[in-house]
Amino acid sequence: VGVKPIQICTNIELERDIDEDVVQAKIYFEIQRYFAPSVHFYSLKEMLDKEYRTDEIFDGPLLDHGFIDTAELKKTTLRSQVRLSDIMNIISSIEGVKVIKDITIGNCDGTESDDWVICIDANKRPELCSDSVFNFTKDVIPVMVSEDKVKEYLAEMEAALQLSRELSGLDKMLELPEAKYLDTDWYTTFQNDFPD
């Protein structure tokens, strides 16, 4: 799968008491998830809660990171469009974002694009390019972001996602039904009742 670089330029006003480095990391993380959604792994209990039968759950090879919902997997396709409204919704839903003052999307290669929708070629996935600019203010005061801290927070978020996948993979055994103790020690075989 090839890459289609997308440029996002925006000016965002943040809440006063929020850490701008964390907000920037969350924006990168959520936009990347929008561009290339990952396959969700479920634990055995979660699959049973989704009312899958055990033979459906264990159909196919046993995976390292849990179980994949086949219906979800079939719906997963490469994104054919990147919509500005989707990007705005993602950024607006992040805690600490007060208002998006200005935002644009475009192609990183400089070719002309629609202001609201960028079409993605077949067999390519969108990716945020290095020409993207995220400016932050608190009230009217510009705020600088530490790229090192942003990378650190982003690595923590990706590690947490990886850990949740690994934890989903731990629950692979069916629970055995609780046994009923029969105290069979005092039983004898009925052959003892036969005549000699």
Side-chain angles (χ1 to χ4, degrees):
V1 175
V3 171
K4 168 79 171 173
I6 303 292
Q7 180 184 39
I8 299 175
C9 297
T10 182
N11 189 2
I12 300 168
E13 185 176 340
L14 302 176
E15 302 286 347
R16 285 186 199 174
D17 56 343
I18 203 74
D19 185 347
E20 59 275 1
D21 300 325
V22 173
V23 172
Q24 177 72 74
K26 285 181 180 176
I27 288 172
Y28 284 158
F29 184 74
E30 294 300 331
I31 287 175
Q32 194 54 40
R33 285 181 61 187
Y34 167 72
F35 283 169
S38 60
V39 176
H40 187 83
F41 289 89
Y42 295 96
S43 67
L44 180 60
K45 184 183 180 320
E46 289 171 328
M47 290 297 282
L48 291 169
D49 290 345
K50 291 176 111 186
E51 298 184 0
Y52 277 95
R53 296 186 324 264
T54 53
D55 63 319
E56 294 172 323
I57 295 170
F58 286 99
D59 185 27
L62 189 61
L63 304 176
D64 291 335
H65 298 299
F67 301 93
I68 296 174
D69 186 333
T70 308
E72 283 181 14
L73 186 62
K74 286 179 181 175
K75 291 179 186 175
T76 304
T77 58
L78 290 173
R79 189 169 294 286
S80 61
Q81 295 179 334
V82 172
R83 297 178 178 276
L84 180 61
S85 57
D86 293 340
I87 301 291
M88 291 172 69
N89 285 335
I90 289 167
I91 294 172
S92 298
S93 66
I94 292 173
E95 182 184 354
V97 172
K98 194 172 184 180
V99 67
I100 300 171
K101 293 181 177 179
D102 186 32
I103 187 168
T104 59
I105 60 172
N107 294 314
C108 278
D109 58 10
T111 58
E112 203 166 312
S113 64
D114 188 293
D115 291 341
W116 290 95
V117 177
I118 295 178
C119 293
I120 309 299
D121 298 332
N123 297 322
K124 289 194 175 184
R125 66 175 173 82
E127 187 174 273
L128 194 63
C129 78
S130 58
D131 293 341
S132 297
V133 178
F134 293 87
N135 292 319
F136 298 102
T137 59
K138 291 185 178 178
D139 292 329
V140 292
I141 302 168
V143 179
M144 295 301 294
V145 174
S146 166
E147 287 300 321
D148 291 336
K149 284 187 177 180
V150 169
K151 287 178 185 173
E152 186 179 311
Y153 289 130
L154 191 56
E156 286 175 12
M157 290 176 203
E158 289 168 352
L161 181 64
Q162 181 63 26
L163 179 63
S164 73
R165 286 181 177 171
E166 289 172 6
L167 291 176
S168 295
L170 294 177
D171 179 18
K172 293 182 187 173
M173 299 298 293
L174 286 169
E175 285 184 26
L176 295 174
E178 192 171 326
K180 185 175 179 183
Y181 182 63
L182 297 176
D183 192 21
T184 58
D185 290 348
W186 65 274
Y187 285 96
T188 60
T189 175
F190 67 86
Q191 286 182 323
N192 294 338
D193 297 329
F194 291 162
D196 288 341

